[in-house]
Amino acid sequence: MKLARLAAALLPLAGLAALWAWSEHISRQGTDWEVPVAGYDPRDLLRGHYVEFTYDWPIRDDERQEEGPPRIQPPPEALCLSGDPPLITQAAAFDPLDRAVFEACAHPILADPGGVYGAAGLRTGRFYVGQDRARAIEERLAARDLRAIVTIRQRKDGTFTPVDIRFRPLTEAEREAREGDSIRPAAPPIMTRPEPDRNE
């Protein structure tokens, strides 16, 4: 009787442990790519444990918008990445419902309609930052001579997860573009969101 009770008590724990192990295994699968970040908002640096950012995918200029006055572009819902990981040489937008294109693409990524950002999940992302790194990342976000790079892990089914953030010096072209920001529309900023207070 005692053995049956012990088994009944341990069975859910064993199931949870197996589920955690499987989730951990899946999270480590995939291809890592490095995606530059487009700007940051100096009025709202890192607060809490999440940094929110805007991806700067290398989408061809002719795919961004047609000629004419600037207009707001909807975020892509699916991208086919190409390059030599972790370097992305091109991100080509495609219809997420087009299975032929999806299957022909070696490295597809899809926005998650049920995710935090929904259909805009390829424009905006967020990354959890531990308290031990928060101060260093805050200082680097404020440095105008650095570019933030987010590492994402892309899987065969099109899902992806931001797994790290690092910083590098601006290239000469990036420096010139940043200096010219005062006469051109600003890139969408990185914004930060505080972690919800679970005690409330």
Side-chain angles (χ1 to χ4, degrees):
M1 193 67 168
K2 290 183 179 180
L3 186 59
R5 288 180 181 174
L6 182 60
L10 292 178
L11 191 58
L13 294 177
L16 287 174
L19 183 61
W20 178 86
W22 176 250
S23 298
E24 182 71 9
H25 170 73
I26 292 298
S27 71
R28 295 181 181 277
Q29 304 302 305
T31 304
D32 287 358
W33 299 91
E34 293 187 340
V35 188
V37 160
Y40 73 97
D41 187 348
R43 298 164 301 178
D44 190 20
L45 296 179
L46 185 67
R47 290 186 289 120
H49 291 284
Y50 286 97
V51 56
E52 185 178 90
F53 50 82
T54 302
Y55 292 108
D56 189 12
W57 304 103
I59 299 174
R60 292 200 316 259
D61 289 339
D62 61 344
E63 291 188 48
R64 290 181 184 271
Q65 70 175 43
E66 300 172 357
E67 291 186 9
R71 56 189 175 88
I72 296 175
Q73 293 291 307
E77 295 184 43
L79 291 171
C80 181
L81 307 183
S82 56
D84 185 14
L87 178 64
I88 301 174
T89 55
Q90 184 176 309
F94 69 93
D95 184 342
L97 300 179
D98 192 332
R99 296 303 300 177
V101 175
F102 177 86
E103 291 170 5
C105 176
H107 301 288
I109 58 170
L110 307 173
D112 178 8
V116 175
Y117 305 107
L122 295 185
R123 172 176 287 170
T124 306
R126 71 175 185 173
F127 176 68
Y128 178 84
V129 178
Q131 191 167 354
D132 57 327
R133 295 183 64 195
R135 179 59 62 86
I137 288 179
E138 183 177 35
E139 291 174 355
R140 285 172 171 78
L141 284 174
R144 295 289 294 165
D145 59 343
L146 295 177
R147 183 82 185 264
I149 307 291
V150 173
T151 299
I152 65 166
R153 184 159 295 151
Q154 170 264 332
R155 302 176 190 88
K156 292 181 179 180
D157 64 357
T159 60
F160 71 100
T161 306
V163 295
D164 199 8
I165 185 169
R166 69 177 181 86
F167 298 82
R168 63 162 172 75
L170 295 177
T171 64
E172 191 61 34
E174 289 169 342
R175 192 179 303 277
E176 290 175 2
R178 184 165 290 185
E179 290 171 355
D181 281 347
S182 59
I183 58 175
R184 290 195 296 272
I190 289 181
M191 297 170 289
T192 53
R193 298 258 179 99
E195 184 180 26
D197 188 350
R198 296 185 177 86
N199 295 323
E200 292 182 356

